[in-house]
Short mmCIF file of all heavy atoms in Angstrom, two decimals:
data_model
loop_
_atom_site.label_atom_id
_atom_site.label_comp_id
_atom_site.label_asym_id
_atom_site.label_seq_id
_atom_site.Cartn_x
_atom_site.Cartn_y
_atom_site.Cartn_z
N ALA E 132 73.51 158.10 -23.92
CA ALA E 132 72.35 158.74 -24.41
C ALA E 132 72.66 159.10 -25.92
O ALA E 132 73.78 159.35 -26.27
CB ALA E 132 71.97 159.99 -23.63
N LYS E 133 71.53 159.09 -26.68
CA LYS E 133 71.69 159.52 -28.05
C LYS E 133 70.70 160.55 -28.50
O LYS E 133 69.60 160.68 -28.05
CB LYS E 133 71.32 158.17 -29.01
CG LYS E 133 72.27 157.01 -28.89
CD LYS E 133 73.53 157.36 -29.60
CE LYS E 133 74.38 156.05 -29.57
NZ LYS E 133 75.76 156.25 -30.11
N TYR E 134 71.16 161.44 -29.37
CA TYR E 134 70.42 162.54 -29.88
C TYR E 134 70.48 162.67 -31.39
O TYR E 134 71.57 162.12 -31.98
CB TYR E 134 70.95 163.85 -29.33
CG TYR E 134 70.92 163.87 -27.95
CD1 TYR E 134 71.93 163.31 -27.06
CD2 TYR E 134 69.84 164.45 -27.08
CE1 TYR E 134 71.89 163.22 -25.70
CE2 TYR E 134 69.80 164.33 -25.70
CZ TYR E 134 70.83 163.75 -24.96
OH TYR E 134 70.75 163.70 -23.64
N THR E 135 69.51 163.19 -32.00
CA THR E 135 69.64 163.14 -33.50
C THR E 135 68.82 164.44 -34.09
O THR E 135 67.95 164.96 -33.47
CB THR E 135 68.98 161.88 -34.04
OG1 THR E 135 69.02 161.85 -35.44
CG2 THR E 135 67.46 161.79 -33.69
N TRP E 136 69.32 164.81 -35.16
CA TRP E 136 68.66 165.95 -35.98
C TRP E 136 68.97 165.78 -37.41
O TRP E 136 69.82 164.95 -37.82
CB TRP E 136 69.08 167.31 -35.54
CG TRP E 136 70.53 167.71 -35.77
CD1 TRP E 136 71.56 167.21 -35.09
CD2 TRP E 136 71.00 168.62 -36.74
NE1 TRP E 136 72.67 167.86 -35.60
CE2 TRP E 136 72.33 168.62 -36.58
CE3 TRP E 136 70.37 169.45 -37.71
CZ2 TRP E 136 73.24 169.42 -37.50
CZ3 TRP E 136 71.20 170.18 -38.52
CH2 TRP E 136 72.61 170.24 -38.42
N VAL E 137 68.24 166.40 -38.25
CA VAL E 137 68.39 166.43 -39.73
C VAL E 137 68.82 167.69 -40.26
O VAL E 137 68.33 168.83 -40.00
CB VAL E 137 67.09 166.08 -40.42
CG1 VAL E 137 67.25 165.91 -41.92
CG2 VAL E 137 66.51 164.65 -39.86
N GLU E 138 69.92 167.47 -40.99
CA GLU E 138 70.51 168.77 -41.74
C GLU E 138 69.67 168.96 -43.04
O GLU E 138 69.86 168.32 -43.94
CB GLU E 138 72.03 168.41 -42.21
CG GLU E 138 72.61 169.53 -42.96
CD GLU E 138 72.71 170.89 -42.24
OE1 GLU E 138 73.61 171.06 -41.37
OE2 GLU E 138 71.88 171.62 -42.62
N LYS E 139 68.65 169.78 -42.93
CA LYS E 139 67.85 170.16 -43.97
C LYS E 139 68.44 170.77 -45.23
O LYS E 139 67.92 170.58 -46.39
CB LYS E 139 66.59 171.03 -43.57
CG LYS E 139 65.69 170.37 -42.52
CD LYS E 139 64.49 171.15 -42.43
CE LYS E 139 63.52 170.61 -41.39
NZ LYS E 139 62.16 171.12 -41.46
N ASP E 140 69.61 171.34 -45.06
CA ASP E 140 70.30 172.06 -46.20
C ASP E 140 70.76 170.95 -47.17
O ASP E 140 71.02 171.26 -48.37
CB ASP E 140 71.54 172.83 -45.67
CG ASP E 140 71.04 174.16 -45.01
OD1 ASP E 140 69.84 174.45 -45.15
OD2 ASP E 140 71.83 174.72 -44.32
N THR E 141 70.96 169.70 -46.73
CA THR E 141 71.66 168.60 -47.54
C THR E 141 70.53 167.58 -47.80
O THR E 141 70.73 166.77 -48.79
CB THR E 141 72.82 168.04 -46.99
OG1 THR E 141 72.65 167.59 -45.71
CG2 THR E 141 73.99 169.13 -46.97
N CYS E 142 69.40 167.56 -47.03
CA CYS E 142 68.34 166.53 -47.30
C CYS E 142 67.80 166.78 -48.68
O CYS E 142 67.53 167.86 -49.06
CB CYS E 142 67.36 166.70 -46.20
SG CYS E 142 65.76 165.77 -46.51
N ILE E 143 67.54 165.76 -49.35
CA ILE E 143 67.03 165.76 -50.72
C ILE E 143 65.61 165.19 -50.70
O ILE E 143 65.03 164.89 -51.79
CB ILE E 143 67.86 165.03 -51.76
CG1 ILE E 143 68.08 163.62 -51.36
CG2 ILE E 143 69.24 165.73 -51.99
CD1 ILE E 143 68.71 162.69 -52.51
N ALA E 144 65.00 165.09 -49.53
CA ALA E 144 63.67 164.54 -49.49
C ALA E 144 63.49 163.20 -50.03
O ALA E 144 62.44 162.94 -50.70
CB ALA E 144 62.69 165.62 -50.06
N CYS E 145 64.40 162.36 -49.79
CA CYS E 145 64.29 161.05 -50.46
C CYS E 145 63.22 160.21 -49.80
O CYS E 145 62.77 159.21 -50.42
CB CYS E 145 65.72 160.34 -50.50
SG CYS E 145 66.05 159.49 -48.94
N GLY E 146 63.01 160.46 -48.57
CA GLY E 146 61.91 159.67 -47.94
C GLY E 146 62.34 158.46 -47.25
O GLY E 146 61.52 157.68 -46.61
N ALA E 147 63.52 158.13 -47.07
CA ALA E 147 63.98 156.91 -46.51
C ALA E 147 63.95 156.80 -45.08
O ALA E 147 63.52 155.93 -44.40
CB ALA E 147 65.45 156.53 -46.92
N CYS E 148 64.33 157.95 -44.45
CA CYS E 148 64.36 157.96 -42.90
C CYS E 148 62.98 157.84 -42.19
O CYS E 148 62.87 157.09 -41.22
CB CYS E 148 65.14 159.27 -42.39
SG CYS E 148 64.46 160.76 -42.99
N GLY E 149 62.02 158.55 -42.83
CA GLY E 149 60.72 158.40 -42.17
C GLY E 149 60.12 157.02 -42.41
O GLY E 149 59.32 156.59 -41.58
N ALA E 150 60.43 156.46 -43.43
CA ALA E 150 59.99 154.97 -43.63
C ALA E 150 60.70 154.09 -42.75
O ALA E 150 60.12 153.09 -42.18
CB ALA E 150 60.25 154.60 -45.15
N THR E 151 61.89 154.33 -42.41
CA THR E 151 62.70 153.54 -41.56
C THR E 151 62.59 153.62 -40.06
O THR E 151 62.48 152.68 -39.34
CB THR E 151 64.13 153.71 -41.93
OG1 THR E 151 64.37 153.43 -43.29
CG2 THR E 151 65.14 152.71 -41.09
N ALA E 152 62.39 154.90 -39.72
CA ALA E 152 62.17 155.25 -38.32
C ALA E 152 61.10 156.27 -38.15
O ALA E 152 61.31 157.48 -37.85
CB ALA E 152 63.52 155.82 -37.80
N PRO E 153 59.79 155.92 -38.40
CA PRO E 153 58.68 156.77 -38.41
C PRO E 153 58.44 157.40 -37.01
O PRO E 153 57.84 158.42 -37.07
CB PRO E 153 57.51 155.94 -38.87
CG PRO E 153 57.93 154.50 -38.53
CD PRO E 153 59.43 154.45 -38.73
N ASP E 154 59.00 156.87 -35.93
CA ASP E 154 58.70 157.38 -34.56
C ASP E 154 59.65 158.53 -34.39
O ASP E 154 59.41 159.44 -33.45
CB ASP E 154 58.92 156.30 -33.48
CG ASP E 154 57.92 155.25 -33.61
OD1 ASP E 154 56.70 155.65 -33.95
OD2 ASP E 154 58.14 154.12 -33.28
N ILE E 155 60.76 158.64 -35.19
CA ILE E 155 61.71 159.64 -35.03
C ILE E 155 61.62 160.85 -36.07
O ILE E 155 61.68 161.93 -35.77
CB ILE E 155 63.10 159.09 -34.94
CG1 ILE E 155 63.24 158.04 -33.91
CG2 ILE E 155 64.19 160.29 -34.69
CD1 ILE E 155 64.57 157.36 -34.00
N TYR E 156 61.57 160.37 -37.29
CA TYR E 156 61.53 161.36 -38.45
C TYR E 156 60.28 161.39 -39.20
O TYR E 156 59.55 160.45 -39.37
CB TYR E 156 62.75 160.88 -39.41
CG TYR E 156 64.10 160.64 -38.71
CD1 TYR E 156 64.47 159.41 -38.46
CD2 TYR E 156 64.85 161.76 -38.31
CE1 TYR E 156 65.73 159.13 -37.95
CE2 TYR E 156 66.00 161.48 -37.77
CZ TYR E 156 66.51 160.18 -37.50
OH TYR E 156 67.63 159.88 -36.82
N ASP E 157 59.99 162.64 -39.49
CA ASP E 157 58.80 162.92 -40.43
C ASP E 157 59.26 164.09 -41.37
O ASP E 157 60.47 164.51 -41.27
CB ASP E 157 57.55 163.31 -39.58
CG ASP E 157 56.28 163.05 -40.41
OD1 ASP E 157 56.28 162.84 -41.65
OD2 ASP E 157 55.16 163.23 -39.71
N TYR E 158 58.32 164.54 -42.12
CA TYR E 158 58.68 165.46 -43.26
C TYR E 158 57.90 166.82 -43.03
O TYR E 158 56.80 166.79 -42.68
CB TYR E 158 58.40 164.84 -44.59
CG TYR E 158 59.12 163.49 -44.74
CD1 TYR E 158 58.22 162.38 -44.69
CD2 TYR E 158 60.41 163.42 -44.80
CE1 TYR E 158 58.86 161.10 -44.67
CE2 TYR E 158 60.93 162.21 -44.89
CZ TYR E 158 60.17 160.99 -44.86
OH TYR E 158 60.75 159.80 -44.88
N ASP E 159 58.54 167.91 -43.34
CA ASP E 159 57.91 169.17 -43.36
C ASP E 159 57.07 169.35 -44.68
O ASP E 159 57.02 168.52 -45.57
CB ASP E 159 58.94 170.37 -43.12
CG ASP E 159 59.89 170.47 -44.29
OD1 ASP E 159 59.63 169.89 -45.44
OD2 ASP E 159 60.94 171.19 -44.00
N ASP E 160 56.55 170.53 -44.91
CA ASP E 160 55.71 170.75 -46.07
C ASP E 160 56.49 170.64 -47.45
O ASP E 160 55.86 170.43 -48.48
CB ASP E 160 55.15 172.21 -45.97
CG ASP E 160 54.17 172.30 -44.89
OD1 ASP E 160 53.65 171.37 -44.27
OD2 ASP E 160 53.87 173.53 -44.49
N GLU E 161 57.87 170.77 -47.30
CA GLU E 161 58.61 170.62 -48.50
C GLU E 161 59.14 169.17 -48.74
O GLU E 161 59.92 168.91 -49.71
CB GLU E 161 59.75 171.65 -48.52
CG GLU E 161 59.35 173.09 -48.50
CD GLU E 161 60.52 174.09 -48.46
OE1 GLU E 161 61.61 173.65 -47.95
OE2 GLU E 161 60.21 175.15 -48.80
N GLY E 162 58.71 168.32 -47.78
CA GLY E 162 59.19 166.90 -47.83
C GLY E 162 60.62 166.73 -47.19
O GLY E 162 61.18 165.69 -47.29
N LEU E 163 61.12 167.79 -46.66
CA LEU E 163 62.38 167.67 -45.95
C LEU E 163 62.21 167.05 -44.66
O LEU E 163 61.27 167.31 -43.94
CB LEU E 163 63.15 169.06 -45.90
CG LEU E 163 63.35 169.69 -47.14
CD1 LEU E 163 64.00 171.16 -46.96
CD2 LEU E 163 64.32 168.96 -48.12
N ALA E 164 63.15 166.19 -44.30
CA ALA E 164 62.95 165.49 -42.97
C ALA E 164 63.32 166.26 -41.80
O ALA E 164 64.00 167.29 -41.92
CB ALA E 164 63.94 164.20 -43.04
N GLU E 165 62.66 165.88 -40.72
CA GLU E 165 62.96 166.61 -39.51
C GLU E 165 62.61 165.59 -38.28
O GLU E 165 61.88 164.68 -38.39
CB GLU E 165 62.11 167.80 -39.20
CG GLU E 165 60.63 167.66 -39.41
CD GLU E 165 59.94 168.96 -39.57
OE1 GLU E 165 60.47 169.99 -39.82
OE2 GLU E 165 58.62 168.82 -39.53
N VAL E 166 63.25 165.86 -37.13
CA VAL E 166 63.05 165.01 -35.96
C VAL E 166 61.71 165.47 -35.31
O VAL E 166 61.53 166.67 -34.90
CB VAL E 166 64.21 165.15 -34.93
CG1 VAL E 166 63.85 164.35 -33.71
CG2 VAL E 166 65.45 164.45 -35.61
N ILE E 167 60.77 164.49 -35.18
CA ILE E 167 59.50 164.87 -34.60
C ILE E 167 59.21 164.13 -33.21
O ILE E 167 58.19 164.30 -32.56
CB ILE E 167 58.29 164.50 -35.50
CG1 ILE E 167 58.42 163.07 -36.11
CG2 ILE E 167 58.35 165.54 -36.72
CD1 ILE E 167 57.75 161.99 -35.33
N PHE E 168 60.31 163.36 -32.88
CA PHE E 168 60.16 162.62 -31.61
C PHE E 168 59.99 163.57 -30.42
O PHE E 168 60.69 164.68 -30.34
CB PHE E 168 61.35 161.70 -31.36
CG PHE E 168 61.18 160.96 -30.06
CD1 PHE E 168 60.35 159.74 -30.02
CD2 PHE E 168 61.71 161.25 -28.89
CE1 PHE E 168 60.19 159.03 -28.87
CE2 PHE E 168 61.56 160.58 -27.73
CZ PHE E 168 60.74 159.56 -27.71
N GLY E 169 59.15 163.34 -29.47
CA GLY E 169 58.84 164.26 -28.33
C GLY E 169 58.57 165.65 -28.86
O GLY E 169 57.71 165.84 -29.80
N ASP E 170 59.13 166.60 -28.29
CA ASP E 170 58.88 167.96 -28.64
C ASP E 170 60.17 168.47 -29.33
O ASP E 170 60.49 169.69 -29.23
CB ASP E 170 58.55 168.83 -27.42
CG ASP E 170 57.09 168.77 -27.09
OD1 ASP E 170 56.37 168.60 -28.08
OD2 ASP E 170 56.82 168.80 -25.93
N ASP E 171 61.01 167.55 -29.89
CA ASP E 171 62.37 168.04 -30.20
C ASP E 171 62.26 169.19 -31.23
O ASP E 171 63.20 170.00 -31.18
CB ASP E 171 63.08 166.81 -30.90
CG ASP E 171 64.62 167.09 -31.01
OD1 ASP E 171 65.32 167.21 -30.09
OD2 ASP E 171 64.94 167.27 -32.23
N GLY E 172 61.42 169.14 -32.23
CA GLY E 172 61.50 170.25 -33.24
C GLY E 172 62.71 170.27 -34.00
O GLY E 172 63.10 171.35 -34.54
N ASN E 173 63.40 169.17 -34.30
CA ASN E 173 64.56 168.97 -35.00
C ASN E 173 65.70 169.87 -34.44
O ASN E 173 66.62 170.35 -35.10
CB ASN E 173 64.37 169.41 -36.44
CG ASN E 173 65.45 168.86 -37.43
OD1 ASN E 173 65.82 167.62 -37.32
ND2 ASN E 173 65.92 169.66 -38.41
N THR E 174 65.71 169.99 -33.06
CA THR E 174 66.87 170.54 -32.47
C THR E 174 67.90 169.78 -31.96
O THR E 174 69.04 170.24 -31.74
CB THR E 174 66.31 171.46 -31.17
OG1 THR E 174 65.73 170.38 -30.26
CG2 THR E 174 65.26 172.47 -31.55
N GLY E 175 67.58 168.42 -31.99
CA GLY E 175 68.70 167.49 -31.58
C GLY E 175 68.99 167.57 -30.15
O GLY E 175 70.15 167.22 -29.64
N THR E 176 67.94 167.88 -29.33
CA THR E 176 68.29 168.04 -27.87
C THR E 176 67.32 166.96 -27.13
O THR E 176 67.32 167.10 -25.90
CB THR E 176 67.86 169.40 -27.38
OG1 THR E 176 66.54 169.76 -27.77
CG2 THR E 176 68.75 170.44 -28.04
N THR E 177 66.52 166.20 -27.73
CA THR E 177 65.64 165.25 -27.03
C THR E 177 66.33 163.86 -27.03
O THR E 177 66.71 163.37 -28.04
CB THR E 177 64.27 165.07 -27.70
OG1 THR E 177 63.68 166.56 -27.85
CG2 THR E 177 63.38 164.24 -26.95
N GLU E 178 66.37 163.27 -25.87
CA GLU E 178 67.03 161.99 -25.86
C GLU E 178 66.20 160.92 -26.41
O GLU E 178 64.95 160.90 -26.17
CB GLU E 178 67.22 161.64 -24.37
CG GLU E 178 68.10 160.47 -24.10
CD GLU E 178 68.50 160.23 -22.63
OE1 GLU E 178 68.49 161.31 -21.86
OE2 GLU E 178 68.73 159.05 -22.22
N ILE E 179 66.72 160.17 -27.31
CA ILE E 179 66.10 159.17 -28.04
C ILE E 179 66.12 157.81 -27.21
O ILE E 179 67.19 157.49 -26.84
CB ILE E 179 66.73 158.89 -29.41
CG1 ILE E 179 66.72 160.22 -30.24
CG2 ILE E 179 65.97 157.76 -30.16
CD1 ILE E 179 65.31 160.80 -30.50
N PRO E 180 65.03 157.21 -26.86
CA PRO E 180 64.95 156.01 -26.04
C PRO E 180 65.65 154.86 -26.80
O PRO E 180 65.68 154.84 -28.03
CB PRO E 180 63.55 155.72 -25.88
CG PRO E 180 62.77 156.44 -26.96
CD PRO E 180 63.62 157.55 -27.40
N GLU E 181 66.29 154.05 -26.05
CA GLU E 181 67.10 152.90 -26.48
C GLU E 181 66.30 151.94 -27.55
O GLU E 181 66.86 151.50 -28.44
CB GLU E 181 67.69 152.05 -25.41
CG GLU E 181 68.76 152.66 -24.75
CD GLU E 181 69.45 151.68 -23.73
OE1 GLU E 181 69.65 150.47 -24.01
OE2 GLU E 181 69.90 152.20 -22.67
N ASP E 182 65.05 151.84 -27.24
CA ASP E 182 64.29 150.93 -28.08
C ASP E 182 64.03 151.41 -29.49
O ASP E 182 63.65 150.81 -30.56
CB ASP E 182 62.80 150.58 -27.58
CG ASP E 182 62.01 151.75 -27.40
OD1 ASP E 182 62.39 152.87 -27.45
OD2 ASP E 182 60.78 151.53 -27.17
N LEU E 183 64.57 152.77 -29.75
CA LEU E 183 64.50 153.25 -31.09
C LEU E 183 65.94 153.31 -31.63
O LEU E 183 66.04 153.88 -32.85
CB LEU E 183 63.99 154.67 -31.10
CG LEU E 183 62.38 154.66 -30.78
CD1 LEU E 183 61.91 156.18 -30.72
CD2 LEU E 183 61.57 153.84 -31.68
N TYR E 184 66.86 152.84 -30.98
CA TYR E 184 68.24 152.92 -31.51
C TYR E 184 68.44 152.19 -32.80
O TYR E 184 69.18 152.74 -33.85
CB TYR E 184 69.32 152.40 -30.53
CG TYR E 184 69.59 153.27 -29.38
CD1 TYR E 184 68.88 154.57 -29.11
CD2 TYR E 184 70.66 152.99 -28.44
CE1 TYR E 184 69.25 155.34 -28.09
CE2 TYR E 184 70.96 153.85 -27.50
CZ TYR E 184 70.33 155.04 -27.28
OH TYR E 184 70.63 155.84 -26.30
N ASP E 185 67.85 151.03 -33.00
CA ASP E 185 68.03 150.24 -34.21
C ASP E 185 67.48 151.03 -35.31
O ASP E 185 68.13 151.04 -36.46
CB ASP E 185 67.38 148.87 -34.08
CG ASP E 185 68.22 147.93 -33.18
OD1 ASP E 185 69.41 148.33 -32.85
OD2 ASP E 185 67.64 146.86 -32.89
N ASP E 186 66.27 151.57 -35.23
CA ASP E 186 65.56 152.35 -36.33
C ASP E 186 66.49 153.46 -36.60
O ASP E 186 66.62 153.85 -37.77
CB ASP E 186 64.24 152.75 -35.92
CG ASP E 186 63.19 151.67 -35.87
OD1 ASP E 186 63.54 150.56 -36.36
OD2 ASP E 186 62.00 151.92 -35.60
N MET E 187 66.89 154.11 -35.59
CA MET E 187 67.73 155.39 -35.86
C MET E 187 69.02 155.05 -36.54
O MET E 187 69.40 155.77 -37.50
CB MET E 187 68.06 156.07 -34.48
CG MET E 187 68.78 157.33 -34.64
SD MET E 187 68.95 158.35 -33.09
CE MET E 187 69.77 157.16 -32.05
N GLN E 188 69.76 153.96 -36.17
CA GLN E 188 70.90 153.53 -36.89
C GLN E 188 70.56 153.19 -38.33
O GLN E 188 71.43 153.53 -39.27
CB GLN E 188 71.48 152.26 -36.14
CG GLN E 188 72.93 151.91 -36.78
CD GLN E 188 73.90 153.01 -36.58
OE1 GLN E 188 74.12 153.52 -35.56
NE2 GLN E 188 74.63 153.35 -37.65
N ASP E 189 69.45 152.44 -38.59
CA ASP E 189 69.17 152.15 -39.94
C ASP E 189 68.91 153.39 -40.87
O ASP E 189 69.25 153.52 -41.91
CB ASP E 189 67.94 151.29 -40.01
CG ASP E 189 68.14 149.80 -39.49
OD1 ASP E 189 69.33 149.49 -39.39
OD2 ASP E 189 67.30 149.12 -39.18
N ALA E 190 68.32 154.43 -40.23
CA ALA E 190 67.99 155.64 -41.01
C ALA E 190 69.33 156.29 -41.22
O ALA E 190 69.54 156.82 -42.28
CB ALA E 190 67.08 156.53 -40.09
N LEU E 191 70.14 156.28 -40.21
CA LEU E 191 71.47 156.92 -40.35
C LEU E 191 72.26 156.22 -41.62
O LEU E 191 72.87 156.95 -42.42
CB LEU E 191 72.27 156.92 -39.10
CG LEU E 191 73.68 157.29 -38.94
CD1 LEU E 191 73.75 158.90 -39.09
CD2 LEU E 191 74.36 156.91 -37.68
N ASP E 192 72.29 154.93 -41.51
CA ASP E 192 73.06 154.29 -42.56
C ASP E 192 72.40 154.38 -43.93
O ASP E 192 73.06 154.25 -44.97
CB ASP E 192 73.00 152.73 -42.19
CG ASP E 192 73.86 152.43 -41.08
OD1 ASP E 192 74.65 153.33 -40.62
OD2 ASP E 192 73.68 151.30 -40.45
N GLY E 193 71.01 154.53 -43.96
CA GLY E 193 70.35 154.63 -45.24
C GLY E 193 70.22 155.96 -45.90
O GLY E 193 69.86 155.98 -47.07
N CYS E 194 70.49 157.00 -45.22
CA CYS E 194 70.38 158.31 -45.82
C CYS E 194 71.45 158.51 -46.85
O CYS E 194 72.61 158.49 -46.66
CB CYS E 194 70.46 159.50 -44.77
SG CYS E 194 70.33 161.08 -45.59
N PRO E 195 71.03 158.79 -48.21
CA PRO E 195 72.03 158.89 -49.25
C PRO E 195 73.01 160.15 -49.22
O PRO E 195 73.89 160.21 -49.87
CB PRO E 195 71.14 158.86 -50.53
CG PRO E 195 69.81 159.48 -50.12
CD PRO E 195 69.71 158.97 -48.67
N THR E 196 72.48 161.18 -48.44
CA THR E 196 73.20 162.40 -48.35
C THR E 196 73.80 162.71 -47.00
O THR E 196 74.32 163.71 -46.74
CB THR E 196 72.29 163.60 -48.73
OG1 THR E 196 71.22 163.61 -47.72
CG2 THR E 196 71.72 163.38 -50.06
N ASP E 197 73.89 161.62 -46.13
CA ASP E 197 74.47 161.86 -44.77
C ASP E 197 73.81 163.01 -44.06
O ASP E 197 74.60 163.70 -43.30
CB ASP E 197 75.86 161.96 -44.82
CG ASP E 197 76.69 160.68 -45.20
OD1 ASP E 197 76.14 159.57 -45.02
OD2 ASP E 197 77.65 160.81 -45.87
N SER E 198 72.54 163.25 -44.19
CA SER E 198 71.98 164.39 -43.58
C SER E 198 71.45 164.14 -42.24
O SER E 198 71.07 165.01 -41.40
CB SER E 198 70.71 164.83 -44.42
OG SER E 198 71.22 165.24 -45.73
N ILE E 199 71.39 162.85 -41.87
CA ILE E 199 70.95 162.49 -40.43
C ILE E 199 72.10 162.60 -39.53
O ILE E 199 73.20 161.89 -39.78
CB ILE E 199 70.29 161.20 -40.50
CG1 ILE E 199 69.01 161.26 -41.19
CG2 ILE E 199 70.01 160.64 -38.99
CD1 ILE E 199 68.22 159.90 -41.39
N LYS E 200 72.05 163.33 -38.53
CA LYS E 200 73.19 163.47 -37.50
C LYS E 200 72.81 162.83 -36.19
O LYS E 200 71.63 162.99 -35.69
CB LYS E 200 73.36 165.00 -37.30
CG LYS E 200 73.54 165.86 -38.54
CD LYS E 200 74.58 165.39 -39.49
CE LYS E 200 74.71 166.27 -40.63
NZ LYS E 200 75.71 165.73 -41.59
N VAL E 201 73.74 162.04 -35.71
CA VAL E 201 73.41 161.38 -34.44
C VAL E 201 74.67 161.51 -33.50
O VAL E 201 75.80 161.49 -34.00
CB VAL E 201 73.22 159.80 -34.62
CG1 VAL E 201 73.17 159.10 -33.34
CG2 VAL E 201 71.93 159.57 -35.48
N GLY E 202 74.46 161.86 -32.27
CA GLY E 202 75.58 162.10 -31.38
C GLY E 202 75.21 161.64 -30.01
O GLY E 202 73.99 161.37 -29.61
N ASP E 203 76.21 161.52 -29.12
CA ASP E 203 75.91 161.08 -27.66
C ASP E 203 75.60 162.32 -26.83
O ASP E 203 75.34 162.06 -25.70
CB ASP E 203 77.33 160.49 -27.10
CG ASP E 203 77.64 159.28 -28.00
OD1 ASP E 203 76.78 158.60 -28.58
OD2 ASP E 203 78.91 158.94 -28.12
N GLU E 204 75.62 163.47 -27.23
CA GLU E 204 75.31 164.74 -26.42
C GLU E 204 74.26 165.52 -27.06
O GLU E 204 74.14 165.40 -28.40
CB GLU E 204 76.66 165.64 -26.25
CG GLU E 204 77.82 164.87 -25.74
CD GLU E 204 77.68 164.66 -24.21
OE1 GLU E 204 76.89 165.35 -23.51
OE2 GLU E 204 78.44 163.79 -23.63
N PRO E 205 73.44 166.36 -26.35
CA PRO E 205 72.51 167.08 -27.10
C PRO E 205 73.29 168.07 -28.11
O PRO E 205 74.44 168.53 -27.67
CB PRO E 205 71.77 167.92 -25.94
CG PRO E 205 72.14 167.14 -24.65
CD PRO E 205 73.47 166.38 -25.00
N PHE E 206 72.57 168.38 -29.11
CA PHE E 206 73.30 169.26 -30.15
C PHE E 206 73.31 170.70 -29.81
O PHE E 206 74.09 171.47 -30.18
CB PHE E 206 72.85 168.90 -31.53
CG PHE E 206 73.33 167.71 -32.11
CD1 PHE E 206 72.58 166.50 -31.94
CD2 PHE E 206 74.47 167.55 -32.79
CE1 PHE E 206 73.05 165.29 -32.58
CE2 PHE E 206 75.01 166.43 -33.36
CZ PHE E 206 74.27 165.30 -33.24
N ASN E 207 72.30 171.00 -28.94
CA ASN E 207 72.00 172.50 -28.55
C ASN E 207 72.00 173.44 -29.75
O ASN E 207 72.76 174.45 -29.66
CB ASN E 207 73.21 172.83 -27.57
CG ASN E 207 72.92 172.16 -26.17
OD1 ASN E 207 71.71 171.94 -25.77
ND2 ASN E 207 73.95 171.63 -25.61
N LYS E 208 71.39 173.11 -30.81
CA LYS E 208 71.27 173.91 -31.90
C LYS E 208 70.39 175.11 -31.59
O LYS E 208 69.48 175.00 -30.93
CB LYS E 208 70.71 173.17 -33.13
CG LYS E 208 71.65 172.14 -33.59
CD LYS E 208 71.06 171.40 -34.79
CE LYS E 208 70.70 172.27 -35.91
NZ LYS E 208 69.30 172.25 -36.35
FE1 F3S A 162 66.38 163.41 -46.28
FE2 F3S A 162 68.19 161.66 -45.87
FE3 F3S A 162 65.84 161.40 -44.74
S1 F3S A 162 67.90 162.74 -47.79
S2 F3S A 162 64.41 162.42 -46.36
S3 F3S A 162 67.41 162.94 -44.34
S4 F3S A 162 67.03 159.73 -45.68
#
């Protein structure tokens, strides 16, 4: 299983992740990215379905500030 969240403290609102993986990432009022999939609320506790893994990986690879976090366990933030 895969889980993801965005470190807003380092996100520079570049906009790449929401373009790459719009089903997973969107932006708050300040343009900072957050996980919107399911009811995650950027907690990193919602299992991401396999059909979104490619998009998630592309977003992970494309973030210029390494603000996208992906792990095999819920982050329990
Ligand atoms: Fe922020 Fe990285 Fe997305 S800088 S807007 S988390 S691609």
Side-chain angles (χ1 to χ4, degrees):
K133 295 284 189 188
Y134 302 83
T135 182
W136 66 286
V137 178
E138 176 61 79
K139 291 195 182 197
D140 288 345
T141 55
C142 172
I143 56 170
C145 82
C148 56
T151 303
D154 294 327
I155 304 175
Y156 308 102
D157 201 351
Y158 310 105
D159 66 15
D160 292 342
E161 297 179 338
L163 301 177
E165 57 192 9
V166 172
I167 49 93
F168 183 80
D170 278 326
D171 191 70
N173 203 42
T174 58
T176 57
T177 304
E178 191 172 334
I179 303 300
E181 283 190 37
D182 62 344
L183 294 178
Y184 281 8
D185 284 350
D186 283 358
M187 184 168 60
Q188 185 65 48
D189 288 347
L191 178 66
D192 293 342
C194 179
T196 59
D197 292 329
S198 299
I199 294 177
K200 311 301 179 185
V201 174
D203 298 332
E204 304 282 340
F206 285 93
N207 290 323
K208 289 177 65 240

